[in-house]
Amino acid sequence: MKYVAAALMSLLPISAFAHDYAIDGLKVAHPIAKATTETARASAGYLSITNTGETSDRLVAVEADFPRVMVHDTVVEDGVASMVHMDSITLEPGQTVVFEPGGLHVMFMGLSDQMIEGQKIPGTLIFENAGRLDIEFNVENLDGDAHANH
Ligand SMILES: [Cu+2]
């Protein structure tokens, strides 16, 4: 009995806290979505994708249950940040692409409900070669996010 408990205890942290996904050589770490105010109609998602394989791939779409979901990059010109729609994100072998506040992000648009910390937002990453990968974005409070002016 003692051994079983010990084995379970050692397994628990992995299943309970790891928040990573993988498909083929692509590893996706810690997808999160920004908690919103009651009236917000958009939010942003962040994650990182590492290509541990030997061939390049591309993220061609992100799906989630919102009227529109896009990948945006943030471009700063003359001190003014603006959003650019990205058709795809190239993932070269050995490369990690980081989606983070002030840079690349998944844009969730047309929200009808508030995103509250602790919620999980199901989504799907679609890769040109590796195919579809179902993930969950953990909703977190992100203070000082440069995305507020979107
Ligand atoms: Cu955006």
Side-chain angles (χ1 to χ4, degrees):
M1 205 54 204
K2 215 171 177 182
Y3 287 109
V4 172
L8 282 176
M9 288 299 285
S10 66
L11 284 174
L12 267 176
I14 295 167
S15 55
F17 301 116
H19 183 213
D20 300 330
Y21 305 85
I23 186 169
D24 292 349
L26 302 176
K27 292 200 168 24
V28 173
H30 198 48
I32 57 171
K34 184 187 157 113
T36 62
T37 60
E38 229 169 295
T39 52
R41 291 293 166 261
S43 181
Y46 307 107
L47 47 82
S48 70
I49 307 171
T50 301
N51 184 353
T52 66
E54 273 159 24
T55 55
S56 70
D57 205 337
R58 290 194 309 146
L59 176 69
V60 291
V62 181
E63 291 178 356
D65 192 17
F66 302 108
R68 274 198 303 158
V69 180
M70 298 169 98
V71 173
H72 283 177
D73 200 358
T74 308
V75 177
V76 180
E77 248 176 80
D78 300 327
V80 179
S82 59
M83 307 288 159
V84 198
H85 171 230
M86 306 291 285
D87 285 321
S88 69
I89 303 294
T90 301
L91 307 158
E92 300 292 354
Q95 189 187 16
T96 297
V97 174
V98 180
F99 289 58
E100 59 190 346
L104 282 172
H105 54 278
V106 179
M107 199 74 221
F108 304 115
M109 284 168 282
L111 273 58
S112 49
D113 296 311
Q114 188 176 7
M115 283 190 190
I116 296 165
E117 185 164 53
Q119 289 178 334
K120 293 179 189 301
I121 309 291
T124 303
L125 305 179
I126 300 168
F127 299 102
E128 186 176 51
N129 299 325
R132 301 171 63 89
L133 177 63
D134 291 332
I135 64 171
E136 276 184 332
F137 293 88
N138 288 355
V139 177
E140 293 185 4
N141 287 322
L142 301 175
D143 293 330
D145 182 355
H147 208 79
N149 59 1
H150 192 43

